[in-house]
Amino acid sequence: MTARETMLPRLVELDGGAKAGRLDGLVGIGEALAAVLMLVGPGAGGLSVALLGVSSATLLITATTSLGAALVTFGISAAAGAVNPEGSNATENNKVKKVFADLWSGWRFLLSNRLILGASILTAVFVPVIAGLQATVLPAYFIAQGLPELSGFAVTGIALGSLLGASVYAATIARTSPRRWFIFGAIGTGIGFGILGTLGAPWLVIVAAVLIGIANSPMSAVLGVATIRATPDAMRGRVLGAQNALMLAAPALTAAPIAVIAQAFGLNAAGACIAIAVAITTVAAIFTPAFRDLDAHAGGPSGGPSDAPSDTMEAPRQGEN
């Protein structure tokens, strides 16, 4: 995942990169495709189980699709994966030391850059909250309502909303301010979680899930593009690796507390806690100085000055983050 994100600016440049908003559009398309897969994937998996049963044939289909994805990567130009040769002459004795030095430099840059740190924290809040909803709160809520089959519709609603939001973002970002998309996403996500947190009527929960998907996907795309552009080419893999590590660790740290609150105080209390946490986060994000200059990262032929690879690119100074 980190390698795929790291290659995006290089792919835009190799494809010409002359049109404004190319990188933004590519990230938006990626968000839309992810939403499509969230809709199609579980259905295709369920159909294969229904037709073939829980058997080795079903697992063979999974293995075949994974192999197909790996083979497709051979179609990517090798130039897209070119990296800064800095440190490539490391000897056998200091290679391990170099790995830890690279790891530390990625985290150090992430922690010192206010924009990237803010985007990482925001993502680390929303990803586990949505994961907790899908894995704990929503299934328990619909079971309590005697409508367990609607749990899947709520998850599908998030995916459907993400598809719609990401598609509109990709189609309009060349003519729309990223800052406006960010504000729309933050406010919409906060409202969606506020409605969903009440755990009212089942239809209202599903509508809130769709709204969350519509608002959150453009905001995620804006933050993803801003992170790519704010990171020098030579540092991008290390910084995105640190950011993805934080994002993947966050659900493991928050799933248990959400479940404990639901068990001890009830589903409504868990939903209210989630809604309050998201509301505080979105309000803070809107007024955080680091996110006021998102439009400053939206220039350049392929989307911004740091879209084009540059091994000599200077890291943003603290006052320019």
Side-chain angles (χ1 to χ4, degrees):
M1 177 173 62
T2 300
R4 190 169 63 243
E5 294 173 356
T6 303
M7 286 191 295
L8 285 178
R10 182 85 65 168
L11 290 171
V12 171
E13 185 199 22
L14 293 175
D15 195 41
K19 187 177 179 181
R22 287 293 298 277
L23 179 61
D24 307 75
L26 191 61
V27 172
I29 291 172
E31 292 276 346
L33 287 176
V36 169
L37 294 179
M38 286 178 64
L39 290 169
V40 176
L47 180 62
S48 66
V49 171
L51 295 177
L52 303 174
V54 182
S55 63
S56 58
T58 305
L59 295 178
L60 182 62
I61 293 175
T62 301
T64 302
T65 55
S66 299
L67 176 61
L71 293 176
V72 167
T73 63
F74 285 103
I76 301 175
S77 171
V83 296
N84 182 5
E86 175 191 359
S88 60
N89 59 347
T91 65
E92 292 293 334
N93 294 330
N94 64 14
K95 279 184 177 178
V96 174
K97 183 179 179 181
K98 179 67 167 60
V99 168
F100 282 102
D102 287 346
L103 181 64
W104 167 241
S105 67
W107 278 102
R108 184 175 58 187
F109 188 91
L110 184 151
L111 294 173
S112 64
N113 187 295
R114 289 178 296 177
L115 173 61
I116 298 176
L117 178 60
S120 302
I121 293 174
L122 204 57
T123 303
V125 170
F126 285 129
V127 168
V129 163
I130 293 176
L133 281 174
Q134 294 176 342
T136 305
V137 177
L138 290 179
Y141 165 77
F142 285 112
I143 289 175
Q145 295 290 319
L147 300 167
E149 67 278 3
L150 291 186
S151 179
F153 280 100
V155 176
T156 300
I158 295 177
L160 185 62
S162 297
L163 173 60
L164 179 60
S167 298
V168 175
Y169 169 86
T172 63
I173 187 57
R175 305 181 300 275
T176 310
S177 161
R179 171 69 178 171
R180 291 180 180 176
W181 269 117
F182 177 78
I183 294 176
F184 163 80
I187 294 175
T189 301
I191 293 174
F193 273 104
I195 297 173
L196 191 147
T198 64
L199 294 178
W203 67 267
L204 190 61
V205 171
I206 294 176
V207 170
V210 175
L211 177 58
I212 290 171
I214 291 175
N216 188 65
S217 57
M219 183 173 63
S220 297
V222 169
L223 293 178
V225 172
T227 297
I228 290 174
R229 289 175 176 153
T231 309
D233 183 66
M235 288 287 298
R236 190 169 291 122
R238 282 170 276 182
V239 172
L240 291 178
Q243 191 178 58
N244 287 333
L246 180 64
M247 180 190 70
L248 293 173
L253 299 175
T254 57
I258 291 175
V260 169
I261 293 173
Q263 178 68 29
F265 303 102
L267 287 175
N268 287 334
C273 287
I274 289 174
I276 292 172
V278 171
I280 294 173
T281 303
T282 52
V283 170
I286 291 174
F287 294 101
T288 295
F291 295 135
R292 292 177 184 172
D293 296 329
L294 288 171
D295 292 344
H297 297 276
S302 59
S306 53
D307 289 348
S310 172
D311 293 338
T312 60
M313 185 175 300
E314 184 180 17
R317 292 185 294 274
Q318 187 67 23
E320 296 175 349
N321 292 342

